[in-house]
Amino acid sequence: MSLTETAASPAETTVPQIGHWIDGAHRASSSGRTAPVYNPATGAVRAEVALADQAEIDEAIASAERGYREWSGYSIAKRQGVLFAFRELLNARKGELAAIITAEHGKVLSDAMGEILRGQEVVELATGFPHLIKGAFSENASTGIDVYSLKQPLGVVGIISPFNFPAMVPMWFFPVAIAAGNAVVLKPSEKDPTAALWLAELWKEAGLPDGVFTVLQGDKLAVDGLLTSPVVQSISFVGSTPIAQYIYETASKHGKRVQALGGAKNHMLVLPDADLDLVADQAVNAGYGAAGERCMAISVVLAVEPVADELIAKITERIGQLKIGNGAGVDAGDGTRSEPDMGPLITDVHRDKVASYVDIAEADGATVVVDGRGCSVEGHEDGFFFGPTLLDNVPTTSRAYTEEIFGPVLSVVRVASYDEGLELINSGRFGNGTAIFTNDGGAARRFQNEVEVGMIGINVPIPVPVAYHSFGGWKASLFGDSKAYGVQGFDFFTREKAITSRWLDPATHGGINLGFPQNH
């Protein structure tokens, strides 16, 4: 992906400018508004991203509407061919995308690659879309009358994606939307906007008509432009709960379909019979992977006594083995790169916010077992690093327990029983993901039936469903009636027409009857 550079005086340093993707091409912004894009590992500004004005918002939506008119007329076979071409290009060049994600988000390269592969699962699901947009047919439902249904695209659809998964989250939505015949306007996070443009270039190369995949860079003005436009028919969003609620209420008020996935406070319930080595491994993986910046991270371990002390010791031992550093890795001297386990947080502001929650927990009486505050990486002293943090005896009244931290902070809460742990999970305002670790099949089965959460893992800490199931939580973790991808995704991006058809026999057309139609 090439960035457009603006002219600078000899005394100035040229800063690459990241613009939009409109009508199948890069489009420089004339709004005069920009935001910095950092390399989180170094703290340096690597580019500036445009923040769209109203004219650019209108232009992007109008382009998408033109693209929809063309694309929705493509045959299923032609649409499927473009999907397959995109899939093959993505598979061949995913390393390029992973490098972009690491440079702007900070996550380690292997984690960036994992994100892409999970998104690619949805692309692969979408290549089989003909089966998922079929209608139904009932012959002779009434004498001489057939009834059948069609699934047709909505039109122009909006996607508003978060910073933590700049490739995977958009891929939860746009392959399904495009396969179904819609045109997409993607508003990526202004913190890591380049992945969206790389994906746009790939769609162009795959043969997608201009306008069908549009990237609109921006801030709240761009978001509100999508939410209120009479052309945009639906909104798909992933982010924090307050913003998800705002998205849902505003878009719904303007007559749109909405799937708005919000925040989380995911718990892992550990029963006394669990394999504590497995639990410790998975708690570290789920708590500190991607530096905790994921809505499916485990942030609370509910330890049913008497296992807490032993489990904390095992987790602490594993934390001591973690390497923190630049997600791009360092040259190992033998032609390979040595990759750390965990990279930086996205910005210094977010790092300080995460640190504030550790301060709150400590002030509320929690024990800081492992302290990630003040983490520094040699050679990257200006990077936005925060070390893995482990808290014990976190009061359930503390904001450090009740609120989403979105960082590498794992809290241990000691409970006396399964029932006490279950009650804590079910009384929370979020219902995104949860897990139970046990060797008791009866306890696991009871848990999956009794817990009030949308996605459940049994000895699996991050239960993100595969692409042919759907992703989404309960309660304050999901606003709207539809989850992401899977069959629900295709239902969301299509609308149904029911047709009642009769081809008359001229000799017996039945005459006049003003009564209510009846089936015979």
Side-chain angles (χ1 to χ4, degrees):
M1 212 292 298
S2 58
L3 304 180
T4 302
E5 293 189 352
T6 57
S9 69
E12 295 176 330
T13 301
T14 301
V15 178
Q17 303 291 303
I18 302 172
H20 313 293
W21 180 272
I22 299 174
D23 277 337
H26 290 284
R27 181 70 56 85
S29 173
S30 59
S31 71
R33 300 192 309 127
T34 62
V37 179
Y38 294 95
N39 181 333
T42 66
V45 175
R46 70 184 303 268
E48 289 183 345
V49 62
L51 302 177
D53 59 19
Q54 191 59 52
E56 292 168 346
I57 296 167
D58 294 341
E59 183 184 7
I61 294 172
S63 171
E65 187 172 27
R66 292 190 297 272
Y68 162 68
R69 299 300 174 194
E70 178 181 356
W71 179 242
S72 60
Y74 272 41
S75 68
I76 286 177
K78 287 182 69 176
R79 295 209 308 260
Q80 194 173 31
V82 174
L83 265 291
F84 272 113
F86 179 82
R87 188 266 178 198
E88 292 305 305
L89 288 167
L90 177 62
N91 191 51
R93 295 169 50 192
K94 55 185 177 286
E96 299 173 24
L97 182 56
I100 290 171
I101 294 169
T102 294
E104 289 188 347
H105 176 274
K107 65 178 63 175
V108 300
L109 274 170
S110 59
D111 197 17
M113 186 65 76
E115 164 184 349
I116 296 165
L117 293 174
R118 290 308 301 264
Q120 188 171 311
E121 290 180 10
V122 183
V123 177
E124 291 167 350
L125 171 76
T127 61
F129 76 92
H131 171 69
L132 295 166
I133 62 168
K134 290 189 304 185
F137 191 97
S138 297
E139 183 182 21
N140 217 34
S142 187
T143 303
I145 294 178
D146 303 325
V147 180
Y148 55 98
S149 61
L150 307 175
K151 287 187 175 182
Q152 296 185 330
L154 301 179
V156 177
V157 301
I159 299 171
I160 303 166
S161 67
F163 72 81
N164 59 324
F165 289 105
M168 184 183 74
V169 165
M171 282 194 278
W172 282 356
F173 304 111
F174 69 67
V176 176
I178 290 172
N182 301 283
V184 166
V185 179
L186 169 61
K187 207 299 283 183
S189 169
E190 57 270 35
K191 294 181 177 66
D192 44 12
T194 305
L197 295 175
W198 187 92
L199 289 164
E201 290 180 345
L202 213 66
W203 275 118
K204 176 87 170 181
E205 189 173 344
L208 191 69
D210 294 346
V212 181
F213 188 84
T214 296
V215 178
L216 178 66
Q217 310 286 6
D219 53 8
K220 187 175 184 296
L221 183 64
V223 169
D224 287 343
L226 294 175
L227 299 184
T228 60
S229 168
V231 175
V232 177
Q233 300 300 307
S234 72
I235 295 292
S236 302
F237 170 83
V238 176
S240 69
T241 286
I243 304 302
Q245 186 166 3
Y246 171 79
I247 295 283
Y248 173 70
E249 292 173 352
T250 306
S252 296
K253 186 171 67 176
H254 287 84
K256 305 184 194 315
R257 289 186 180 183
V258 187
Q259 46 184 182
L261 284 67
K265 194 73 177 182
N266 302 323
H267 294 62
M268 173 194 289
L269 180 60
V270 180
L271 300 192
D273 70 323
D275 180 333
L276 294 188
D277 285 313
L278 171 66
V279 172
D281 288 342
Q282 299 308 309
V284 169
N285 294 342
Y288 305 126
E293 291 176 323
R294 51 190 180 194
C295 67
M296 289 298 286
I298 289 293
S299 54
V300 179
V301 174
L302 297 173
V304 179
E305 293 291 31
V307 303
D309 287 341
E310 183 179 357
L311 180 57
I312 288 170
K314 289 179 180 292
I315 293 174
T316 302
E317 178 187 4
R318 286 158 173 78
I319 291 174
Q321 300 169 8
L322 298 181
K323 296 179 291 184
I324 317 300
N326 187 336
V330 295
D331 190 344
D334 58 357
T336 63
R337 297 187 69 82
S338 174
E339 185 177 286
D341 298 298
M342 199 176 89
L345 297 181
I346 187 72
T347 64
D348 54 348
V349 173
H350 184 59
R351 176 197 60 200
D352 294 345
K353 181 181 178 182
V354 172
S356 74
Y357 277 105
V358 181
D359 297 340
I360 289 168
E362 192 171 28
D364 289 341
T367 301
V368 181
V369 180
V370 180
D371 194 343
R373 293 172 292 187
C375 176
S376 181
V377 174
E378 184 178 356
H380 294 79
E381 286 77 11
D382 294 327
F384 309 140
F385 293 95
F386 192 94
T389 298
L390 180 62
L391 307 175
D392 186 19
N393 288 309
V394 179
T396 56
T397 54
S398 174
R399 287 178 51 214
Y401 172 80
T402 60
E403 297 180 9
E404 184 177 35
I405 297 176
F406 220 64
V409 179
L410 188 62
S411 298
V412 176
V413 175
R414 300 166 183 248
V415 294
S417 65
Y418 164 93
D419 291 311
E420 184 182 347
L422 180 71
E423 174 59 26
L424 282 175
I425 298 172
N426 287 349
S427 61
R429 62 188 294 252
F430 300 108
N432 207 43
T434 190
I436 185 171
F437 277 74
T438 179
N439 286 313
D440 185 334
R445 191 171 188 276
R446 179 182 170 191
F447 183 76
Q448 71 182 31
N449 289 326
E450 295 179 340
V451 73
E452 296 172 4
V453 173
M455 292 171 285
I456 301 158
I458 297 173
N459 297 320
V460 174
I462 305 178
V464 177
V466 293
Y468 39 90
H469 289 270
S470 297
F471 180 101
W474 287 12
K475 298 189 284 190
S477 295
L478 177 67
F479 297 85
D481 298 324
S482 175
K483 295 184 176 184
Y485 61 77
V487 174
Q488 288 194 42
F490 280 95
D491 289 342
F492 180 81
F493 286 116
T494 58
R495 51 188 168 188
E496 188 176 78
K497 286 180 179 176
I499 297 96
T500 303
S501 172
R502 175 170 60 186
W503 296 99
L504 297 176
D505 180 345
T508 58
H509 65 70
I512 296 173
N513 184 347
L514 300 185
F516 193 84
Q518 297 183 34
N519 296 327
H520 298 287

